[in-house]
Every structure is written in structure tokens, then in C-alpha cells.
Amino acid sequence: MSIKVQNISKNYGKQKALDDVSFTINTGEVVGFIGPNGAGKSTMMKIITGFIPQTEGTVMVNDLNTLEHSLEIRKRIGYLPENNPLYLDMYVKEYLKMVGEIYRRAGGQEGRKAKGLDKRVDEMIDLVGLDLEKHKKIGALSKGFRQRVGLAQALIHDPDVLILDEPTSGLDPNQIVGIRDFIAELGKDKTIMLSTHIMQEVQAICDRVIIINLGRVVADDPTEKIQSQNLDAFQTIEMEFEQVISGNSLKQIHGVVKVKKIDSKHFLLEGKPNRDIRSDIFQWAVKNKVTVLKLAKREKSLEEVFQELTK
Ligand code: ADP
């Protein structure tokens, strides 16, 4: 199932939360939707899932218009909303059964009826690792287990598409790894869009990244490409010399635009955009009889790329 977002804008009163956003997510892709808080991620997800209408533009899910086929589309989409609202007084099994029942009454997939809802609930509990917690009230669960209940409710009707709004927010590092692995596994046969403001999350799970800032898409590329493109655009070289070097002499090297001194023998050199300055540095060193102990391209993290694109 594909998602086609075409020229979507959303106004909340005078505030423009989304401004002419377009992108496509193809069947089977796992796409990270990232941006700082307030960028418009949740708003976009609510529009795709048909929970709120857009001000302008069209969203097509599997070639169906979300405004005209909202019910049909919701049956095919699993949605984990921001802050994962749950009924805290309900028991885990009771809650999942209720959600399953809603889908069944709405005319969910035929297979569900034949199999029986109890069996499906047990399958989901098993799938998300809730076996030890299944007889507890949701209010008594830790944040990580509540998030698993949220995932189970998003999956109970066996949707083809999953829309997950900040699935790991508020979890501890072990829980984060657990949920990430689980999502990566689901991504093998479902189309997934997940929002986050954590870059490592995208690196760990997603094939593609859409970066949004102030309601506009600022980048849309395969995860690896986003990193390497920006690496090359802003190259930094880490240098170590055998002898003491003056920063001013390094500024003379062709292509070097910035010199940062770490100590008298260590420097960071920044080159002109889209230019490899390593051979220039090497030639300068040979000409000036300087012994180079280290010359290394400094890896820029996706975190830094994100900051550069959204600052
Ligand atoms: P994100 O999920 O990226 O943090 P949101 O989509 O929640 O961003 O919000 C985008 C912008 O729209 C924010 O400035 C937010 O304050 C505003 N906003 C979100 N929901 C509402 C609402 N119901 N009413 C008014 N403004 C809202």
C-alpha cells in the first residue's frame, strides 16, 4: 500500500502547521519522518490517518482519497498516536479485545472473523511481548509496556500500513532497542512511517528519511544518501603533525576555509563546500617538509546533518 501526499497545507487558526508538503511512500518502505518539536509531524500523521482534515491538498492511500474513504482507509492503517492515549482503567486483554471488536464491527478483514478475536488478541500479546503483563490494568504498566499495548492495538486488524508517532518517546535505552528491533522486523512486510526527533532511530530502522522543519519538507532522501551528501558538502579534516605548526600557515593551503586549533600539533581544517582538500593538504606538507602523523576525514553524524538542515 502506498501513501501519496500532495501539496498538503494545514492551518490552525492563523498558524500554518504544514505548508505545501508533498511526498510519496511506496509499498514496503520504512520511512522516518523527522524534525524538531513543533515541525508538523503529528499533524501530518493525523491527516494521513484521517483523524483531522487538511486545509489544502490531497492524501491518497492506496489510490483512495482520505477525505472520501476515511473509514475504508482506517481499516487498512495501524496508527500509534502521539502520547499513545490508552484507557488506563482497562485490563490489557480487555482493551485489545475492545479495539479488535471495533474493527470487526466496522467490517474488518474476513480472516479475523473466522479465527476468533480471542485468538488474535493472544497472538498480538505474544507478538509484542506482553505475556507477563496481559492480566494487568494498563494504568499499572510501565511506559515501555504501555507502548507495546499501543503497538498491539495498531496491529490487531493486520494493517498493511503502520503510522507510528514517536514510538520510542519516554522509553529507557533498553526498551528503545526492544521497540526499534520490533519495528524493524515489522518493516519486512509492512509499509511504515514513523516520526521521531532522534536521528539514531532513523539510522537504525529506516530506508528513507523525510526531514521537516517549520511545516516544510527540507530533505527527502535514502538514509545513507542524506548522510553522505552532507558529509561531502561540509568536509572537516582532522590533522596531527610531528612538529609545532602555526594555524596561519595552514590557512594558506588551497581550498581550506577554516582552521580550528586543538593544540599546537592538532588541528581541524574545513574545506570549501563539495571539495576534497586532502590532496591539497598533502602537497602542502611535502612542499613545507612537514611530517603528517594523521590526516582523517571526520565523520559527521546524522545528528549534525539534522541540525544543519533544521537550524
Ligand atoms: P510535531 O509533531 O512535529 O512536534 P505538531 O504537528 O504537533 O508538531 O505541531 C505543529 C505546529 O502546530 C505546532 O506549532 C503546534 O503548536 C501547532 N498545533 C498542533 N496542534 C494544534 C492544535 N490542535 N491547535 C493549534 N495549534 C496546533
Side-chain angles (χ1 to χ4, degrees):
M1 262 180 55
S2 63
I3 301 171
K4 270 202 191 92
V5 171
Q6 295 163 324
N7 310 102
I8 288 292
S9 294
K10 173 74 185 176
N11 301 339
Y12 290 114
K14 281 187 182 160
Q15 192 192 353
K16 212 168 189 110
L18 293 172
D19 186 5
D20 199 22
V21 172
S22 298
F23 57 84
T24 301
I25 298 180
N26 299 310
T27 308
E29 268 192 310
V30 179
V31 173
F33 194 48
I34 76 163
N37 285 328
K41 303 181 294 294
S42 296
T43 302
M44 190 68 247
M45 292 181 141
K46 284 179 198 157
I47 292 172
I48 294 174
T49 49
F51 278 80
I52 59 169
Q54 60 269 36
T55 310
E56 276 174 67
T58 328
V59 179
M60 308 290 282
V61 176
N62 223 19
D63 297 326
L64 296 178
N65 189 316
T66 48
L67 293 179
E68 290 158 18
H69 301 273
S70 165
L71 213 59
E72 192 54 40
I73 286 167
R74 283 192 214 190
K75 283 183 216 159
R76 310 285 301 276
I77 290 186
Y79 176 38
L80 176 72
E82 189 188 21
N83 305 322
N84 186 17
L86 296 165
Y87 294 93
L88 301 184
D89 277 334
M90 287 184 94
Y91 292 93
V92 171
K93 277 189 92 162
E94 183 191 17
Y95 171 70
L96 292 176
K97 210 170 159 184
M98 177 192 78
V99 177
E101 190 63 42
I102 292 170
Y103 280 114
R104 187 150 76 169
R105 287 191 188 187
Q109 295 176 3
E110 285 307 305
R112 290 296 77 74
K113 289 182 188 170
K115 237 180 192 177
L117 197 51
D118 284 326
K119 194 167 171 212
R120 181 67 184 166
V121 167
D122 287 341
E123 275 175 13
M124 287 302 100
I125 283 173
D126 195 38
L127 185 70
V128 302
L130 270 172
D131 202 49
L132 293 173
E133 318 288 321
K134 66 184 173 192
H135 297 301
K136 292 186 184 169
K137 276 193 175 178
I138 294 171
L141 301 183
S142 70
K143 176 94 183 156
F145 281 112
R146 281 188 207 181
Q147 207 68 339
R148 285 169 197 245
V149 178
L151 280 168
Q153 69 76 29
L155 288 163
I156 197 148
H157 55 303
D158 197 15
D160 303 311
V161 177
L162 276 174
I163 307 281
L164 309 173
D165 199 349
E166 307 247 352
T168 58
S169 81
L171 305 187
D172 71 36
N174 287 334
Q175 292 168 330
I176 288 178
V177 172
I179 296 280
R180 270 186 203 163
D181 288 349
F182 181 62
I183 295 170
E185 193 59 35
L186 290 172
K188 287 180 183 162
D189 52 27
K190 294 194 189 295
T191 305
I192 301 183
M193 177 180 189
L194 69 97
S195 78
T196 178
H197 54 269
I198 307 167
M199 264 306 200
Q200 293 96 310
E201 197 133 303
V202 167
Q203 235 160 345
I205 314 177
C206 302
D207 311 320
R208 211 174 102 208
V209 191
I210 297 173
I211 302 183
I212 182 172
N213 190 34
L214 300 172
R216 292 185 143 256
V217 172
V218 293
D220 179 352
D221 274 308
T223 313
E224 285 170 15
K225 194 173 161 207
I226 265 198
Q227 195 175 10
S228 63
Q229 258 179 0
N230 287 282
L231 269 177
D232 290 343
F234 309 92
Q235 196 185 57
T236 301
I237 306 293
E238 192 181 341
M239 301 292 311
E240 184 184 353
F241 302 103
E242 195 175 51
Q243 54 272 75
V244 171
I245 301 287
S246 90
N248 276 339
S249 66
L250 293 171
K251 280 188 191 146
Q252 311 305 319
I253 300 173
H254 202 56
V256 170
V257 289
K258 219 193 230 171
V259 175
K260 190 175 170 202
K261 185 175 174 179
I262 299 169
D263 62 41
S264 59
K265 295 179 181 176
H266 291 86
F267 296 86
L268 291 178
L269 306 185
E270 199 172 302
K272 283 182 181 160
N274 300 311
R275 185 188 167 117
D276 195 339
I277 53 170
R278 286 175 296 180
S279 62
D280 295 301
I281 297 172
F282 193 72
Q283 280 164 20
W284 168 88
V286 171
K287 198 170 147 205
N288 292 283
K289 298 193 168 56
V290 168
T291 308
V292 173
L293 298 180
K294 182 176 183 183
L295 186 157
K297 202 162 150 180
R298 199 166 144 254
E299 287 291 306
K300 190 166 281 192
S301 66
L302 264 181
E303 208 83 59
E304 287 171 283
V305 173
F306 172 73
Q307 282 169 0
E308 265 155 23
L309 288 169
T310 59
K311 72 187 166 195

